[in-house]
Amino acid sequence: MLATRIRSWKSVALTSAAVLVGLSAPTLTATPAAATTTAYDSTYYKNAIGKTGTSLKSSLHTIISSQSKISYSAVWDALKATDQDPNNSSNVILLYSGVSRAKSLNGGDVGDWNREHTWAKSHGNFGEATGPGTDLHHLRAADVQVNSTRGNLDFDNGGSSVTNGGGSKVDSDSFEPRDADKGDVARMILYMAVRYEGDDGWADLEPNEKVNNGSNPYIGKLAVLKQWNEQDPPSTFEEKRNDVIYTTYQHNRNPFIDHPEWVEAIW
């Protein structure tokens, strides 16, 4: 069951008021996400509600660190459930390209889909190990060739069109997802930064303002990810995916899908 979500779009009201009195409203680039109320606020998130900054991040880390873990081989079948095409139960929707492809075409050949680590597994060297390497909140079904093009690049705006990438772009040091996936990517990356804080044997994963982070446990650019979170709010597909992971597999949630305004509250 999807969480009930209620938002207050204050920026729209303010902009409309400015127009009515004949004023020129300023250009809005990345207005903070409106406050959201979910069915989990009085239960799952009760120790985080009302907090901001490092206090909020610490509370969310404690909450979401309680999770069940699956093997990397089990990720194949899990993605067939989490990424299922809502219009065709035999297919999955691919990250970056938006293509609907048969669940049976999972593998490593051209025309197949495989397991994309949105937080590149080399950024922190966790590989495919149970834990960050198998965390479904950042693993997505993706076209083999598009996935290869993204590689372990950081995220930023700009570049040339990716072949069969649905509008995604790439250059020598960064990857830009298609518009419909920008917020998804931002919220997956920032989930990883809160979940893995270096206290459970894995690296402390953090976003920064750089590209070319290499094997360091960082991914950039934070300012761009924050902009993408505002530009592309959580979709029904993303919310349903969060619920499937919570109820069927890991029993933890991505808090930035439930509360996208918490991105600005922390960073």
Side-chain angles (χ1 to χ4, degrees):
M1 179 177 176
L2 293 178
T4 302
R5 306 169 63 84
I6 303 172
R7 296 188 180 91
S8 175
W9 299 104
K10 295 182 180 179
S11 62
V12 175
L14 290 173
T15 303
S16 298
V19 172
L20 288 173
V21 298
L23 298 177
S24 178
T27 301
L28 299 178
T29 54
T31 304
T36 302
T37 301
T38 80
Y40 298 100
D41 290 358
S42 61
T43 53
Y44 188 74
Y45 293 123
K46 64 181 179 180
N47 292 329
I49 299 300
K51 296 180 179 179
T52 60
T54 57
S55 179
L56 175 58
K57 189 182 182 193
S58 178
S59 292
L60 291 176
H61 171 68
T62 299
I63 292 167
I64 67 178
S65 292
S66 177
Q67 71 180 99
S68 300
K69 299 174 183 177
I70 66 175
S71 69
Y72 196 52
S73 60
V75 169
W76 285 120
D77 285 338
L79 291 180
K80 292 176 183 178
T82 62
D83 293 15
Q84 179 173 293
D85 183 345
N87 298 315
N88 185 344
S89 62
S90 296
N91 288 12
V92 290
I93 298 293
L94 305 186
L95 184 68
Y96 304 141
S97 65
V99 169
S100 178
R101 186 164 296 169
K103 292 179 178 179
S104 59
L105 292 175
N106 63 294
D109 297 327
V110 174
D112 287 345
W113 62 267
N114 60 4
R115 298 161 290 186
E116 157 69 334
H117 293 78
T118 308
W119 186 291
K121 56 190 177 183
S122 62
H123 290 235
N125 288 322
F126 52 76
E128 298 165 359
T130 300
T134 64
D135 196 315
L136 292 170
H137 281 298
H138 86 115
L139 286 163
R140 290 286 301 268
D143 175 80
V144 166
Q145 290 178 291
V146 175
N147 191 358
S148 178
T149 298
R150 187 267 159 137
N152 68 347
L153 294 172
D154 293 84
F155 293 105
D156 196 3
N157 291 314
S160 302
S161 295
V162 174
T163 302
N164 298 320
S168 297
K169 299 176 182 178
V170 68
D171 59 25
S172 62
D173 58 17
S174 69
F175 189 89
E176 179 186 343
R178 68 188 185 116
D179 287 348
D181 286 334
K182 282 185 165 73
D184 305 54
V185 166
R187 288 179 283 274
M188 286 188 280
I189 292 297
L190 298 176
Y191 160 87
M192 293 291 282
V194 171
R195 170 61 186 86
Y196 299 98
E197 293 278 43
D199 57 359
D200 54 1
W202 306 108
D204 180 3
L205 307 182
E206 294 294 339
N208 65 9
E209 296 295 356
K210 296 173 56 181
V211 292
N212 287 323
N213 277 296
S215 62
N216 294 312
Y218 311 122
I219 280 184
K221 292 180 177 178
L222 175 58
V224 173
L225 295 172
K226 289 172 63 178
Q227 182 183 44
W228 291 353
N229 175 59
E230 301 292 344
Q231 174 183 336
D232 174 36
S235 64
T236 300
F237 178 86
E238 199 177 351
E239 292 170 347
K240 177 66 180 299
R241 189 175 195 278
N242 200 21
D243 281 343
V244 173
I245 294 172
Y246 176 63
T247 59
T248 306
Y249 295 100
Q250 296 184 179
H251 312 298
N252 72 338
R253 302 184 66 79
N254 182 334
F256 302 116
I257 295 174
D258 293 324
H259 284 280
E261 76 275 12
W262 281 348
V263 170
E264 188 67 31
I266 293 175
W267 287 283

